[in-house]
Amino acid sequence: MPTPSPTGPLVTRDSLAADLSGLGVRPGEILLVHSSLSSLGWVCGGAETVVRSLCDALGPHGTLVVPAQSGHLSDPAVWSSPAMPEEWWEAIRAGLPAYDPRITPTRGVGVVPETVRTWPGALRSAHPQTSFAALGPRAAEILDGHAPDCRLGEASPLARLERLGARVLLLGAGYDACTAFHLAEYRVPAPRVAVGRPGPDGWEVVTEVSISSDRFGELGHDFERDRPVVRGAVGAAGARLFPLADAVAYATRWLPVHRPRDEEF
């Protein structure tokens, strides 16, 4: 069979950096990026090129932040892709390695965040399931002190990004991936849940705010309708750029009305 032709357009480091600057990414700013590599086109150099182009657009004084989640460090009783036989649960709990920010891979956030995580000089926050990774002069300021019992709330990098005036870039990703909305979940009435995970001294359970991205697509649609969001193209990908604080404030008002926390997800 003939080899299929690559899906274009051809995207390079220079073209991506130019598109990012044209969209409005500013040198020296703090940028939280949610990305889909496959949406960009045929990227010469893959995820490495995307990271380099983001750093080019941000310049030496800018800071790049990405989600570096490791949700696989969780209770096998709640796994669904695939579900685990109940008779395996205890063995899995005993065998899962504890979180190590230097070693634990990301899961479910794409290849660009994994590339940032392993980049020379990158830092990573301490939460074993919902960490963030960052490159740049303000990385430590953003990531230090991520509390082990606060996935995406006031003691997480999201709250620091809000205070520091960071912006969010959705790079081929939808609003369902927008972690900023989760910070709003901590500011509205919310149930608390038991969260299991491997710890340094064995299996542990912590009590956490219940979080869910359910209906984030609808929330993002309304946010974009009512608030200024820069829209454009980066490579072949649709891109959106907006202040993180605006997204959190809007979601804090929207969620209690449209998705009360006593709903079952």
Side-chain angles (χ1 to χ4, degrees):
M1 293 180 62
T3 302
S5 299
T7 301
L10 170 64
V11 176
T12 67
R13 175 178 173 177
D14 288 345
S15 72
L16 280 177
D19 286 350
L20 290 164
S21 297
L23 184 72
V25 174
R26 301 188 295 256
E29 74 170 311
I30 302 170
L31 195 65
L32 172 60
V33 178
H34 299 280
S35 59
S36 167
L37 176 63
S38 63
S39 71
L40 292 167
W42 195 86
V43 181
C44 181
E48 176 187 340
T49 290
V50 176
V51 175
R52 291 189 184 279
S53 68
L54 286 163
C55 291
D56 289 344
L58 290 168
H61 303 296
T63 300
L64 170 64
V65 186
V66 295
Q69 298 170 8
S70 44
H72 57 290
L73 299 185
S74 58
D75 193 340
V78 302
W79 293 358
S80 59
S81 298
M84 293 292 107
E86 186 172 353
E87 60 269 24
W88 292 9
W89 292 354
E90 286 307 315
I92 292 172
R93 289 171 184 146
L96 278 174
Y99 174 70
D100 184 329
R102 301 164 301 173
I103 297 172
T104 302
T106 60
R107 181 72 63 85
V109 289
V111 66
V112 172
E114 179 66 5
T115 303
V116 172
R117 180 190 74 82
T118 59
W119 203 268
L123 300 180
R124 190 180 188 185
S125 69
H127 196 283
Q129 294 169 325
T130 55
S131 66
F132 290 79
L135 288 166
R138 307 195 78 170
E141 181 181 0
I142 293 163
L143 301 180
D144 285 352
H146 192 171
D149 60 349
C150 184
R151 288 182 285 190
L152 298 168
E154 305 300 340
S156 80
L158 286 176
R160 294 192 185 89
L161 289 166
E162 180 187 39
R163 291 195 295 270
L164 292 171
R167 291 198 293 172
V168 176
L169 172 64
L170 300 180
L171 186 57
Y175 282 102
D176 57 332
C178 181
T179 49
F181 289 155
H182 288 296
L183 180 56
E185 292 185 293
Y186 285 73
R187 297 179 177 175
V188 299
R192 299 181 70 84
V193 294
V195 178
R197 65 195 186 199
D201 300 314
W203 192 254
E204 61 185 23
V205 178
V206 297
T207 301
E208 256 283 13
V209 170
S210 174
I211 58 176
S212 170
S213 58
D214 184 70
R215 299 187 68 183
F216 275 13
E218 297 173 56
L219 167 55
H221 173 273
D222 290 354
F223 169 65
E224 191 170 295
R225 178 194 65 202
D226 297 337
R227 299 294 302 157
V229 173
V230 177
R231 299 175 60 183
V234 175
R240 291 169 167 84
L241 182 65
F242 51 88
L244 185 145
D246 281 4
V248 175
Y250 189 91
T252 302
R253 297 188 297 270
W254 191 95
L255 287 168
V257 175
H258 299 279
R259 203 201 69 179
R261 296 307 305 276
D262 56 358
E263 290 183 8
E264 292 295 330
F265 300 125

